[in-house]
Amino acid sequence: MIARRGLLALAVALVALGLSHVTDPAHAVAAFELRDASPPALGAVSLDRDADPWFEDDARRGLSVRASHAALYGVEGLTSEQAAGSFRTGALRLDLAQTQVGVPGIREGATRLSMREGGDRAVSLSLTLERLVLSLEGEPPRSVWALGAGVRGHARVRGIRGEVSLGADRIVRSGAPGREAVTPALPWAVRLRSGSASLEIADRWEGDGRTSPRLSLDLRAGGALALRFGRGERPGRTGAAAALRVGRIEVSVGRQDDEFGGTVSAVAVALVPGGPKR
Amino acid sequence: MSRPRVPSAMMCRLRGIGSVWLAAAAGSLCAPAVAWPRAPAYAQTDAEPATRLPLPVEEIDAPERLEERSRAGVAVSIRASFRDSLTGWSTAAAVARGPWSVGATVRYGAGAEPRAGAVEIGHAGSGLHAAAGTVDVRGLGVLFGERLGLASRAARLPSVRAGSPIVGAPGSGASSEFEGVSASWIAAPWSRTSRKGDAAGIYAFGVRRREEDSHGERARVAAMGAAFAIGPSTVASPSVGVRGGSLAASVSLRTASAAWDLGVETLAARDGFSTLADAGVSAPPFRWRGRWRFRAGETRPAAGEVVAEAESRIARVVVRASGGASGQSGAVERREVEGRIGARRGLGPLSFRFGRTEATGFTAADGFTERRERYAVLDLTVARGGGRVFAVTATRRARENEDGMKAGTSAGGRLGLTWRRRGRLEVRVEAVRAEPGASAWSSGVYAGGATALRSRTRPGVAMSARGEVRAGSWTLGGIVEGREDERGRQATAATVWIEKGIPFRQRGNDTR
């Protein structure tokens, strides 16, 4: 048991070390902290949370699916893949996503089910249930269940639409060993929308006192082209991403560069619903 | 026909605590003809009710009373507290027959062994009330209560209280330090201009501490007094009491008109005379108030406070400056601005409190000490609608001493949900950061409906929820608090309660 726990700790450290690109252990990413390495997340320099959609008409009813692949920090074999589906009906949206990251032999996997209320409400709620699995070659997988919640408030001030969101990320966890490797956090964001542009200011307060403020700008050209630029601190990082939509097909690319020279690049393909807006 | 009872005074006094929950609950549960006495303002500071911002726990006098719930109109209640496991529970019941009512409260430890109890008898028509057992005394004159050891010294200068105190079973297990007997007669409010809670009557009680003090003694306290009207707008309340053989006498006077009010309390004891005075003038949109206190026999006997308030349709600002003693030989000065900006529609309001304190003191271990602290508390309502309210909160404390400047910060939000006036839920989540040697505030919720700021020295994430659901005359409620620090250590506490109300009629309307 002690040997297995030590191996687990070593495996978690190896994955985290790979993600931290060695040069600055102070900015090492904790286990399961890389949540989304898709292009919209890279553009928003926010690998630690689910990315907001590109286009506002992503509120269309129906089913959408997407898949992405990301190469992480130039480490051979260190990749992240994600497959996700969303179903929107009425005032509710369900998201199911499967994400994995790591190198052959050591991989983190996350299955995430989210329920979110629609944006017409002044105050909308969301609930997220995750199963986080650490797989080591030759060892039985270790899993942790985590529950989180969020609230989003909408306001309008002089023609500018504002959104303030606050989350209680992984506030309840169960599962041993491994529970201690997953820490709760308080992500928050303020987004201002005006016309075809929106600006987001966000941060994430970790349970150990770390913060990671970031700023991202979205520019849209109708319903076909979207650009996203982002800048973050602690660690310093810059992101850019673009999405092109033709009919129901959406292709996006993105890249994030951090202050230590590490680079994450990704490509994604999505099939968006063509149904009426809710 | 029974005389209508005076409604609870908590609705006015709780605004300083920063929660509207208990005010609404008290208003809905007020009932005549029940043994439970009116609960006067147990809450502490008579701070100007400018905002809904919570106060730090250390500035609240009798913070243990934050856990108390109003028993007005409650026939049966059961309450249990948990911290990882059951730590204690209590039951209370009241029976009314005609104008008479009898109530009993029993508290238990983790097992079923009773630890304390009280019995109360009341007569609705005459206003007579008697209590025996583990009791709590509230509503005494400020200086009189401190002198008898029945009230702690408030960090902020309070207003003068003139009226009959209330002696009865405490509302929570944390506030029952005394056992004894009491008898009182309380009449209706003395005039239309009287503040809710100021009522005429006479009282007498004798209590002793349930536990021995550091000297191995159980202090005994006895007091008697009265409150009566002088003219249409003045009430006076003389009182005399004895504690441990030391006699004290107090006279409180409150008078008021539509534009001003004045209160004075004078205490005579072995070491001299002490005085508390407060006066206020209202000239819309401005209000001014001054308070002054003199405690005989102390190193720094005087303390004072000046408050100026301005209010408009969309904003309200209170400026407060005070100074006085701190501890045995220290002094503390405070300057504070508190207010609210914004309408109650759309984005806002923004409630804020900015302040600065300077404290000096002398201890045998550290010698002369000086500490300056700046603080800020913010609460912004982001959106509301459909029975939901979402607000973001933030606090910051920056303390400067000989070692330099250290700061603690917290940020988070609160979500309020209501369901058809039958249920409500409030959820708060916060992340706390504190530098080594500094402390930050995080919000604490209490069973009584109030919210207060608690000091934290370790970073972490905290979540709390408080909820209540009503079905007919039954109410089921609870509080859950969880906190996790940077090392993953968790602490969880919960309190649940079940109450059954007494159907009542007030002004001819059935408000069940």
Side-chain angles (χ1 to χ4, degrees):
Chain A
M1 181 62 72
I2 295 177
R4 287 184 178 179
R5 289 182 178 178
L7 185 61
L8 172 66
L10 175 62
V12 171
L14 282 174
V15 175
L17 205 58
L19 296 175
S20 73
H21 34 275
V22 184
T23 54
D24 188 352
H27 292 290
V29 177
F32 301 105
E33 199 166 289
L34 193 151
R35 190 166 310 191
D36 186 355
S38 63
L42 297 180
V45 291
S46 298
L47 305 185
D48 49 11
R49 64 186 178 114
D50 294 329
D52 284 335
W54 293 104
F55 300 93
E56 289 187 25
D57 65 355
D58 284 348
R60 290 180 182 273
R61 294 187 182 186
L63 178 68
S64 67
V65 293
R66 58 188 181 276
S68 68
H69 172 82
L72 306 175
Y73 304 108
V75 177
E76 186 174 350
L78 186 60
T79 61
S80 173
E81 290 78 34
Q82 182 185 72
S86 297
F87 182 73
R88 187 186 293 275
T89 172
L92 192 65
R93 175 179 138 186
L94 297 175
D95 293 291
L96 181 64
Q98 173 66 37
T99 306
Q100 63 175 8
V101 59
V103 295
I106 305 175
R107 300 198 77 85
E108 290 180 357
T111 304
R112 188 176 304 117
L113 175 65
S114 300
M115 290 172 285
R116 306 168 196 268
E117 291 183 315
D120 284 349
R121 291 175 178 269
V123 180
S124 55
L125 307 178
S126 63
L127 201 63
T128 302
L129 179 66
E130 296 177 283
R131 181 171 181 263
L132 310 172
V133 180
L134 177 65
S135 302
L136 306 176
E137 189 172 344
E139 293 288 325
R142 302 281 191 262
S143 67
V144 175
W145 288 90
L147 182 68
V151 58
R152 183 170 298 203
H154 304 264
R156 182 184 289 269
V157 179
R158 297 182 183 276
I160 299 177
R161 288 177 297 153
E163 288 177 11
V164 178
S165 62
L166 181 70
D169 190 38
R170 296 171 178 172
I171 202 75
V172 179
R173 287 114 51 219
S174 69
R179 179 188 174 283
E180 61 278 3
V182 179
T183 57
L186 210 70
W188 61 266
V190 177
R191 179 178 286 274
L192 303 174
R193 301 178 190 271
S194 178
S196 60
S198 66
L199 179 72
E200 181 181 78
I201 304 166
D203 199 348
R204 183 182 172 89
W205 285 39
E206 303 287 347
D208 56 6
R210 287 181 295 136
T211 64
S212 178
R214 65 214 64 180
L215 189 71
S216 70
L217 175 68
D218 281 10
L219 301 173
R220 289 176 293 277
L225 178 66
L227 303 174
R228 179 171 288 177
F229 305 95
R231 172 67 192 163
E233 294 182 1
R234 294 195 291 273
R237 56 204 189 276
T238 302
L244 180 67
R245 181 177 290 184
V246 177
R248 295 182 58 191
I249 303 296
E250 178 186 293
V251 178
S252 56
V253 294
R255 176 186 172 110
Q256 177 184 292
D257 297 272
D258 64 33
E259 60 183 350
F260 306 109
T263 299
V264 179
S265 56
V267 61
V269 176
L271 179 68
V272 298
K277 290 185 181 179
R278 60 176 167 75
Chain B
M1 183 175 182
S2 62
R3 183 185 309 176
R5 296 287 291 176
V6 177
S8 168
M10 286 187 286
M11 196 174 297
C12 288
R13 301 301 180 95
L14 285 174
R15 280 175 288 177
I17 298 178
S19 168
V20 299
W21 272 48
L22 186 53
S28 64
L29 290 177
C30 286
V34 180
W36 311 130
R38 291 181 299 109
Y42 67 72
Q44 17 60 301
T45 151
D46 288 304
E48 271 62 29
T51 72
R52 293 174 293 117
L53 292 176
L55 285 171
V57 171
E58 55 267 22
E59 296 181 13
I60 297 176
D61 77 16
E64 61 277 3
R65 292 176 180 165
L66 294 173
E67 292 286 1
E68 296 184 356
R69 291 182 49 77
S70 170
R71 288 176 289 124
V74 174
V76 177
S77 75
I78 301 173
R79 173 171 164 160
S81 298
F82 303 85
R83 188 174 293 273
D84 298 324
S85 62
L86 179 65
T87 58
W89 57 290
S90 66
T91 60
V95 177
R97 287 290 183 269
W100 290 96
S101 60
V102 177
T105 304
V106 182
R107 288 196 312 282
Y108 304 84
E113 181 180 349
R115 288 173 51 191
V119 176
E120 299 178 57
I121 300 174
H123 188 273
S126 62
L128 291 172
H129 179 268
T134 304
V135 296
D136 196 17
V137 182
R138 294 170 238 186
L140 284 172
V142 174
L143 300 177
F144 191 57
E146 292 176 0
R147 184 70 189 186
L148 296 183
L150 299 175
S152 56
R153 293 191 170 191
R156 299 187 179 224
L157 277 177
S159 293
V160 171
R161 282 197 290 266
S164 297
I166 299 295
V167 182
S172 74
S175 57
S176 54
E177 298 179 3
F178 298 92
E179 56 187 15
V181 296
S182 75
S184 63
W185 166 72
I186 301 175
W190 41 276
S191 80
R192 290 187 178 185
T193 59
S194 67
R195 300 184 308 175
K196 286 187 167 74
D198 292 343
I202 57 176
Y203 72 91
F205 66 84
V207 298
R208 69 174 181 180
R209 280 196 177 271
R210 299 181 63 231
E211 296 180 356
E212 296 178 353
D213 58 17
S214 57
H215 303 291
E217 299 176 353
R218 299 172 65 181
R220 297 169 184 266
V221 179
M224 58 185 296
F228 51 89
I230 303 176
S233 58
T234 303
V235 67
S237 58
S239 304
V240 61
V242 60
R243 177 173 185 261
S246 176
L247 190 68
S250 160
V251 175
S252 297
L253 191 79
R254 276 216 76 88
T255 184
S257 72
W260 56 268
D261 66 274
L262 173 68
V264 177
E265 179 186 358
T266 300
L267 174 77
R270 179 186 303 171
D271 46 10
F273 287 90
S274 300
T275 300
L276 173 66
D278 78 271
V281 174
S282 176
F286 300 103
R287 273 193 287 264
W288 295 277
R289 178 167 296 279
R291 296 188 178 95
W292 183 78
R293 179 183 62 203
F294 180 89
R295 283 201 186 107
E298 298 200 350
T299 307
R300 299 178 190 270
E305 181 181 69
V306 175
V307 182
E309 179 181 341
E311 182 176 10
S312 71
R313 187 172 55 86
I314 62 170
R316 186 172 186 175
V317 178
V318 178
V319 178
R320 197 177 285 122
S322 64
S326 173
Q328 294 296 326
S329 59
V332 61
E333 297 181 359
R334 181 194 306 273
R335 293 179 288 279
E336 189 175 87
V337 175
E338 186 174 359
R340 186 189 69 239
I341 298 175
R344 294 189 179 275
R345 291 185 303 171
L347 182 67
L350 168 68
S351 300
F352 59 89
R353 181 188 300 136
F354 302 108
R356 178 186 174 94
T357 61
E358 295 180 7
T360 58
F362 185 89
T363 63
D366 301 324
F368 177 78
T369 59
E370 186 176 16
R371 188 185 70 201
R372 297 186 184 86
E373 182 176 283
R374 293 192 298 269
Y375 56 89
V377 181
L378 298 173
D379 183 304
L380 171 66
T381 299
V382 174
R384 62 171 63 80
R388 303 177 179 183
V389 176
F390 171 43
V392 292
T393 61
T395 69
R396 181 171 174 85
R397 304 176 74 180
R399 181 171 293 179
E400 180 183 359
N401 54 20
E402 305 82 40
D403 300 327
M405 177 77 75
K406 303 287 184 182
T409 309
S410 70
R414 59 182 173 85
L415 172 68
L417 305 172
T418 56
W419 175 59
R420 297 181 185 178
R421 301 178 62 190
R422 288 185 176 275
R424 48 193 165 191
L425 177 67
E426 181 185 4
V427 181
R428 289 177 177 261
V429 62
E430 282 177 328
V432 175
R433 293 195 305 163
E435 297 178 1
S439 61
W441 282 321
S442 72
S443 299
V445 295
Y446 296 86
T451 304
L453 300 176
R454 298 176 184 152
S455 289
R456 302 285 183 215
T457 57
R458 307 192 69 87
V461 175
M463 187 168 180
S464 60
R466 176 173 52 196
E468 205 171 68
V469 61
R470 228 185 285 183
S473 60
W474 290 90
T475 299
L476 173 65
I479 287 177
V480 177
E481 289 185 293
R483 181 164 47 90
E484 181 170 340
D485 65 15
E486 80 282 17
R487 297 181 184 177
R489 294 176 299 192
Q490 284 189 316
T492 305
T495 300
V496 296
W497 59 84
I498 301 174
E499 296 172 349
K500 185 181 189 310
I502 297 177
F504 68 97
R505 290 183 180 276
Q506 198 171 37
R507 298 177 184 168
N509 297 320
D510 186 344
T511 57
R512 270 179 292 177

